[in-house]
Amino acid sequence: NWTGATTVDARSEPVSFPKVATDSVGNAISVWVQPDGTASSIWSSRYSKASGWSAPQLLETSSQLAGSPTIAVNDNGYAVAAWTRNDGTRNNLYGSYYTPGSGWNAPTLLENYDGYGQGELGTVEQPRVVISKTGESLIVWLQTGPGWYSSSQGKIVSMVYANYYRPGQGWSGRTKIDRSVVGTSSTPSVVMDLNGAITVAWSWEAI
């Protein structure tokens, strides 16, 4: 049966793009976008079966606009969140890792591609994330580039990229996983099985 609805945020500004993920025993972490008084920021709250929802916590405090949060939690309560942050020209990708008992680490810039030219700005869209039972994580996203521009179609080409996290080692770096044929991609999706094998799927259109 459903419980009664609970207000998780603590501010008067509107909430958007809420996401939630849970561990194997029913504890959960939610992330969302909400202004912090300066700009739209990423907030988080953890649900414990014993004590309910925690007070909201800011995951980043930049004055730049944040959006598109995503989150994954494993059975041991470790979590990874990712989101975009606009620097005034493009959306960049940031991520943070949650360790039970320690909380969230400082946000990490997960890519530094700033575009090739011809109006192509290297903007990030639609981040997705998974995490294994041992804490390894993969984030995938769409990003324009590297410098591919279809003048006949009059549009910028988006491709799928990934960044892999290994506990104790950190993030591996931005890697293109898309096709090498000229085309544009959209709607990436990622899943991980119990053994840590990862499958990524996306739509692709030749141009």
Side-chain angles (χ1 to χ4, degrees):
N1 296 327
W2 291 101
T3 63
T6 300
T7 300
V8 177
D9 76 294
R11 296 185 63 88
S12 60
E13 295 90 344
V15 168
S16 58
F17 304 107
K19 299 291 188 295
V20 65
T22 184
D23 64 21
S24 61
V25 295
N27 301 310
I29 299 177
S30 179
V31 293
W32 65 90
V33 177
Q34 190 174 28
D36 61 5
T38 301
S40 293
S41 295
I42 306 300
W43 296 78
S44 175
S45 177
R46 184 177 184 274
Y47 175 82
S48 167
K49 292 180 68 177
S51 56
W53 290 99
S54 67
Q57 175 186 354
L58 268 174
L59 295 193
E60 55 87 39
T61 58
S62 169
S63 61
Q64 299 168 337
L65 297 178
S68 303
T70 183
I71 187 168
V73 179
N74 72 8
D75 289 347
N76 298 314
Y78 290 81
V80 173
W83 61 90
T84 62
R85 181 193 294 173
N86 191 284
D87 63 9
T89 301
R90 64 187 58 81
N91 289 338
N92 296 305
L93 181 67
Y94 285 81
S96 183
Y97 195 84
Y98 179 87
T99 302
S102 299
W104 294 99
N105 66 3
T108 300
L109 178 63
L110 299 180
E111 53 75 40
N112 59 1
Y113 178 69
D114 288 341
Y116 183 81
Q118 296 182 319
E120 187 267 296
L121 301 175
T123 197
V124 171
E125 297 177 335
Q126 302 178 34
R128 305 287 187 266
V129 61
V130 290
I131 187 171
S132 74
K133 60 185 177 181
T134 53
E136 290 86 1
S137 179
L138 184 81
I139 295 175
V140 299
W141 67 92
L142 287 179
Q143 191 167 23
T144 56
W148 292 47
Y149 181 81
S150 171
S151 58
S152 62
Q153 297 290 328
K155 61 183 178 181
I156 303 301
V157 173
S158 292
M159 296 182 180
V160 180
Y161 293 84
N163 199 335
Y164 187 79
Y165 178 88
R166 190 182 300 276
Q169 298 182 25
W171 295 98
S172 63
R174 171 183 178 267
T175 301
K176 176 188 166 187
I177 61 173
D178 211 319
R179 303 178 65 181
S180 58
V181 181
V182 178
T184 187
S185 297
S186 61
T187 58
S189 179
V190 59
V191 294
M192 178 184 289
D193 69 18
L194 295 177
N195 297 314
I198 299 169
T199 301
V200 181
W202 61 91
S203 300
W204 182 86
E205 177 188 359
I207 58 174

